[in-house]
Amino acid sequence: AIEETLPDYGSRLLPFVGSLWIFITVANLAGILPGASSPTSDLSTTTALAVLVFLSVHWFGITSGGLGAYLRHYLQPNPIMLPFHIVSEISRTVALAVRLFGNVMSLETAAVLVLLVAGFLVPVPVLALHIVEALVQAYIFGMLALVYISGGIQSRQNRSSRNEAGASS
């Protein structure tokens, strides 16, 4: 998925995105254990993960094209857009944290409620759903992180390809 999204960046992005996927999957599946809750059902954990993604977007964007070029993309297509770009960066980070937190917490709460009301045999399908949901949430978080990082990297690539097209005309 990484090579399809960002060709030539797979070896640079795999350690980060792969670690996110593995950590979130294991953290989500920890909620299946009796008496344990998923670390991702705590808003502090999901916020820390979202902040890591936020910082990595800028890190990969800056290292792929330089600080000046990366910062200039916030002024495109017009400097008036700067506040909107800043709000967009902050809101997608908050949304990333809250989305994972809300989904995992609600799934764990539903599983506990079914267990309390129905006994021990009925929750088996709920536990199967919990496993599937844990995998899906890790996949979605990782893919969103990959998309955000590719946006930071491609902002530089798109600008350089436009400059090359203008120079050849």
Side-chain angles (χ1 to χ4, degrees):
I2 295 174
E3 282 294 329
E4 294 169 0
T5 306
L6 278 171
D8 303 326
Y9 283 90
S11 62
R12 286 183 60 200
L13 295 177
L14 180 62
F16 178 70
V17 176
S19 297
L20 274 178
W21 283 336
I22 291 169
F23 176 80
I24 294 171
T25 300
V26 171
N28 289 348
L29 290 174
I32 293 176
L33 300 173
S37 66
S38 296
T40 49
S41 67
D42 181 8
L43 188 57
S44 298
T45 304
T46 59
T47 300
L49 291 169
V51 167
L52 280 175
V53 171
F54 173 81
L55 294 173
S56 69
V57 166
H58 301 300
W59 170 257
F60 286 112
I62 291 168
T63 58
S64 71
L67 178 62
Y70 182 73
L71 291 177
R72 275 194 298 278
H73 99 273
Y74 284 104
L75 302 174
Q76 300 297 325
N78 192 325
I80 294 171
M81 296 299 291
L82 178 63
F84 297 106
H85 286 294
I86 292 170
V87 168
S88 170
E89 293 285 336
I90 293 169
S91 65
R92 78 177 178 195
T93 303
V94 170
L96 195 60
V98 172
R99 188 198 56 73
L100 180 60
F101 161 72
N103 286 329
V104 174
M105 187 208 44
S106 65
L107 185 64
E108 283 191 353
T109 303
V112 167
L113 290 175
V114 168
L115 180 64
L116 289 174
V117 172
F120 287 102
L121 292 179
V122 175
V124 172
V126 174
L127 290 176
L129 176 66
H130 189 97
I131 293 170
V132 170
E133 183 69 18
L135 296 172
V136 167
Q137 290 305 319
Y139 177 77
I140 290 172
F141 193 97
M143 286 306 293
L144 287 173
L146 183 60
V147 167
Y148 297 158
I149 292 168
S150 71
I153 291 172
Q154 289 179 350
S155 65
R156 167 74 177 131
Q157 291 174 343
N158 290 342
R159 199 169 25 268
S160 64
S161 65
R162 276 184 287 185
N163 292 342
E164 290 170 5
S168 65
S169 298

